Amino acid sequence: MENGFRGYHPFVLFFYYVCVGVLAMYFNHPLFLLVACLVLIGVNSTHDKGKALKKWIPMLIGMSTIIILVNPFLNSRGTTIFFYFRGKQVTLEATMYGIVMALSLVIILLMFISFNLILNGNKFLFVFSKFLPKTAFLTMLVIRFVPLLKRRFDEINDVQRIRGMTIASGTIRERAKSAMVMLQILLTWSLEEAIETADSMKARGYGIGKRSPYVPYKMDKRDKGWLLTLMLLFSVCIAGGIFGYGKIIIYPELGTLQFYLFDWVMLVCMTLLMSFPLLVEGREQVKWKFSM
Amino acid sequence: MEVFNVKNMSFGFPDTTWKVLKNINLTVTEGEFIVLCGPTGCGKTTLLRLLKKELAPVGNRTGDIFYVGKRLEECDERTLIEQIGLVFQDPDNQIIMDEVMQEIVFGLENLGYSNFEMRKRVAEMVHFFGMEGLLRLKPSELSGGQKQMLNLLSVLLMKPKVLLLDEPTSQLDPIAAKDLISMLERLNKEMGITIILVEHRLEELFGVADRIIMMDSGEINYTGSSKEVINDLYLQKDERFIPFIPSLSRLYMELETSLECKDIPLSVKESKGWIAKMPKLVSEDPVVRPAVESLPNAQLVAVKDVYFQYEKKGPMILKSLSLHISKGEFFALVGGNGSGKTTALKACIGSIKPQRGTARYEGKDTSKLKGKELYEKIAYLPQNPRTYFLHDTIEKEMQEAVTRHRIDSGKAIITELLHVFDIAHLRDRHPYDCSGGEVQKAALACMLIGKPDMLFIDEPTKGLDPISKERFSEVLSRLHKEGLTIMMVTHDIEFAAQNAQRCAMMFDGEITVDGTPEQLFKGNYFYTTAINRATRLSNVREVLTLEEALATWPVPVVT
């Protein structure tokens, strides 16, 4: 079994990502979003020492800069006017909106980078099989065929290359023609082989009654504990948001950015919620270092 | 107790008058290990599938099949699924799910077992198979042997009484095949599971089986214990089945003058015992096959210091591989699974581009060859020859080859080739409707229309029955005599020893040794033929193949 954050029940993990995603779009106070963003960068770097994150950094920075720079020029809503650009007003509100939107998007992307590392493949399917069992099963079958088809296609390519047919050179027309022929072989061959797959399913009783899915993951105490904590924190955040904490008014005129006591409470709740992986990993590290 | 009782069963496919099975009578008692064999198309697979009701082919069946005293049609569907398990030929096609664990429980999920029961069974059987380390892997990360073990395991989890297997080892390399057979032997002996196995690679199975059933054209011709069947076959001089007998037993039957049915050797150990009783032979000077002089200018393929890996971080598959093949040679590359021999072949035909080193064909980089240079000079017979065919009949395929190579007397050449390869009756067939051996010959015939200089072959004996193998070997030796240069990659040592002039052994990405089959295989423990293992360090001359023994040993030995 895997350690740390990955070792938790897929439902708990899935719920965590749902919370992060919802809150990223729910709160729009720049400080909230900035904190969330930093926490998620931390979370990502605990997964694989930030390897996946590094690949995304240029894209994240580029995207958010473009949004922040371009939004004020395209959007002229708002009352506090900086200056006029080609007869259009450039406002403080639109700038702020751009910052908030960019931060939100960055958080969601960071969340998906982490999601991809943690809830990959079968864990993801496991979560989905609860809601959509048939679709999840079909997806499993399809995923299984991908490497199989790729291997077969490579084989066909090797053989047909010696016959003078190739997709690597020639005019586009010729290449397309060769590719079509090879795909045709691949299809005929794979359909032929798939008969045996169908037989194998039948031989093992597929379709004779209701399937009882095997549950490879057990919800244990710590899973339940964390799930409950996450739920609690999440409902506090949502409730606070309803009363306007953690949110700012942007249009028509930018409201105050000032923090009230309840804003601080909200911020702590959200930070706690989002740093769930950090807390788990941190605890593990401490245990390894200081226990015999 | 009787498990299966087949009474007067005949079977024919719809819309044909021809019967695939004729008057089959067969009783299977509990705990038996039965091996069904016979040439391709003899109806053995159809018989096996008729025993598994869900997969019974559509057609007209007369006669009855009883399962534990009840007619098969009257048995409960669920019981049949649980109690009769079937493992197929191709390891890949039977795997349904994308994770080993999910695959294992697939059958149990279908039958609606509780999670408690599933966990219990999985824990027990996975341990028995020693597959704990593989549970989280994807099927595409397993080797062929592991995949077939996985298939066996997932069937066994349903706790079957009878296990039917349809050529389960035909796609495996010899070591994996042996592992599978010894696992079957264990299941049979320790758990009493009845096993019915269809197979034509029989060297080890004759020693394991309780009963051998030989079939041809839909009829059971011989049945009995291994030794009885061998004895009968030789008494009847039945040429149809003699190639199926293990070479060790054949050696005994050919040479021993006072035959005793119970003395027929089935294993190397028994054979050594028999040979020890033979009088000591004065060993003559062994006839050495002339080594082929490789003239530097006549080299067709020259591979030098090639390094290759499939992925940037993956292991090196080829390490400093060097290899030369001269014009007119018959070269065989042998080696275990994962030794890189298929990759070496791919480098020779230019399907992969070496990271370091060069692979040249007539002085040109092989990966840069294209179009005419390729198809006029090189032919490549892959493991699965079906990938070669584009058209829906074999004749159309040949016609296309004729136009591609701009040959005038196309008709005459096609007719001749069809005749030479003995596939004239298949000219209007779809390539997918032919057996493995037939497709192989058809593909080879198409390739030869262009009169290539060199032929590359990848694992030609996979899935072939002994008779097709013998025929294929004849075809190859004829082509070789006509001047074709051949390079073959195989793990079938018997086949390599029989055919090749020069052999090389791959190990860990490079060619470790290279020489004539005699130099290479004689005296090895494992990497050699069964006959060699029996005759090594004995009082007779050491030989590699049955043919060699019959040719070089003096007159039948009297004991």
Side-chain angles (χ1 to χ4, degrees), chain B residues 146-200:
Chain B
Q146 286 173 327
K147 280 180 205 165
Q148 203 60 308
M149 279 290 185
L150 168 63
N151 290 323
L152 184 60
L153 170 60
S154 22
V155 167
L156 278 176
L157 276 183
M158 323 231 286
K159 299 204 171 156
K161 273 190 172 166
V162 190
L163 203 53
L164 310 172
L165 299 109
D166 187 8
E167 299 181 25
T169 68
S170 70
Q171 306 295 319
L172 307 183
D173 66 287
I175 303 172
K178 238 177 212 158
D179 284 348
L180 191 80
I181 289 171
S182 35
M183 181 51 91
L184 291 176
E185 196 183 353
R186 254 184 97 184
L187 291 171
N188 178 251
K189 288 208 169 117
E190 293 176 17
M191 303 191 182
I193 296 176
T194 313
I195 291 176
I196 305 177
L197 180 72
V198 165
E199 190 59 281
H200 37 232

Side-chain angles (χ1 to χ4, degrees), chain A residues 1 121-122 137 140-141 143-144 147-148 151-152 155-156 158-165 169 181 184-185 188-189 192-194 196-218, chain B residues 49 52 54-55 78 81 88 90 92-99 101-103 105-107 109-113 115 118-119 139-140 154 158 346 349-351 366 369 374-375 378 380 382 384 387-390 397 400 404 432:
Chain A
M1 244 356 236
N122 295 322
F137 179 67
M140 195 81 168
L141 286 185
I143 294 175
R144 158 89 186 106
L148 215 59
R151 213 196 56 213
R152 285 183 189 148
E155 233 176 289
I156 293 170
D158 284 351
V159 176
Q160 297 299 332
R161 185 181 150 267
I162 306 290
R163 289 183 70 173
M165 195 162 14
S169 64
V181 172
Q184 188 197 330
I185 305 177
T188 341
W189 183 21
E192 182 81 15
E193 304 282 309
E196 203 165 82
T197 312
D199 278 349
S200 164
M201 287 170 75
K202 225 167 146 191
R204 285 191 273 159
Y206 182 70
I208 73 156
K210 201 175 168 331
R211 276 168 66 83
S212 68
Y214 174 77
V215 186
Y217 306 100
K218 264 190 196 158
Chain B
R49 283 185 169 237
K52 175 97 180 149
E54 301 80 45
L55 299 181
R78 198 186 147 94
I81 286 173
F88 302 79
D90 189 295
D92 251 321
N93 290 344
Q94 306 164 59
I95 298 175
I96 294 150
M97 305 302 265
D98 197 38
E99 191 192 48
M101 188 65 198
Q102 298 280 333
E103 177 64 22
V105 295
F106 180 74
E109 287 182 330
N110 288 334
L111 295 172
Y113 279 102
N115 262 288
M118 285 194 222
R119 279 171 201 277
S140 51
S154 22
M158 323 231 286
K346 281 186 178 172
I349 59 171
S351 288
T366 50
L369 290 175
L374 265 175
Y375 66 76
I378 297 179
Y380 164 51
N384 188 338
T387 49
Y388 180 85
F389 292 94
L390 303 174
E397 197 70 49
E400 201 242 55
R404 183 155 35 103
Y432 286 70

Side-chain angles (χ1 to χ4, degrees), chain B residues 240-429:
Chain B
R240 286 176 301 173
F241 295 121
I242 286 180
F244 283 93
I245 300 175
S247 50
L248 289 173
S249 317
R250 278 176 79 182
L251 188 67
Y252 174 87
M253 299 308 287
E254 300 274 353
L255 292 177
E256 182 63 65
T257 40
S258 54
L259 289 173
E260 282 289 339
C261 180
K262 64 172 179 12
D263 287 344
I264 298 174
L266 295 174
S267 65
V268 172
K269 187 175 143 189
E270 288 171 358
S271 185
K272 264 190 156 342
W274 166 62
I275 288 173
K277 284 190 221 145
M278 288 214 259
K280 191 164 178 70
L281 297 173
V282 189
S283 64
E284 313 153 35
D285 279 337
V287 212
V288 181
R289 277 194 232 181
V292 200
E293 290 291 318
S294 66
L295 300 166
N297 53 353
Q299 263 176 10
L300 273 187
V301 176
V303 175
K304 214 164 173 256
D305 293 327
V306 162
Y307 285 80
F308 183 76
Q309 57 195 145
Y310 279 102
E311 285 156 36
K312 203 174 159 198
K313 284 192 181 133
M316 275 284 175
I317 308 290
L318 300 179
K319 292 172 199 157
S320 176
L321 173 83
S322 296
L323 159 95
H324 301 278
I325 300 170
S326 317
K327 230 182 175 115
E329 244 188 326
F330 193 149
F331 175 77
L333 193 58
V334 299
N337 247 24
S339 59
K341 55 187 190 321
T342 300
T343 316
L345 180 86
K346 281 186 178 172
C348 291
I349 59 171
S351 288
I352 55 164
K353 213 173 162 278
Q355 269 140 1
R356 257 188 287 161
T358 51
R360 294 212 161 98
Y361 181 83
E362 285 186 327
K364 267 196 171 167
D365 266 348
T366 50
S367 56
K368 284 187 189 132
L369 290 175
K370 57 184 169 202
K372 253 193 152 166
E373 289 171 313
L374 265 175
Y375 66 76
E376 302 261 278
K377 288 182 178 158
I378 297 179
Y380 164 51
L381 186 63
Q383 258 185 53
N384 188 338
R386 282 180 182 159
T387 49
Y388 180 85
F389 292 94
L390 303 174
H391 299 278
D392 49 6
T393 67
I394 287 163
E395 194 174 10
K396 274 190 200 163
E397 197 70 49
M398 296 181 91
Q399 221 111 50
E400 201 242 55
V402 166
T403 37
R404 183 155 35 103
H405 292 284
R406 292 193 208 84
I407 293 167
D408 302 324
S409 52
K411 271 250 151 60
I413 289 179
I414 291 178
T415 323
E416 193 201 321
L417 277 169
L418 285 173
H419 181 72
V420 168
F421 282 91
D422 195 21
I423 47 172
H425 57 293
L426 302 173
R427 63 194 311 165
D428 294 324
R429 277 255 199 117

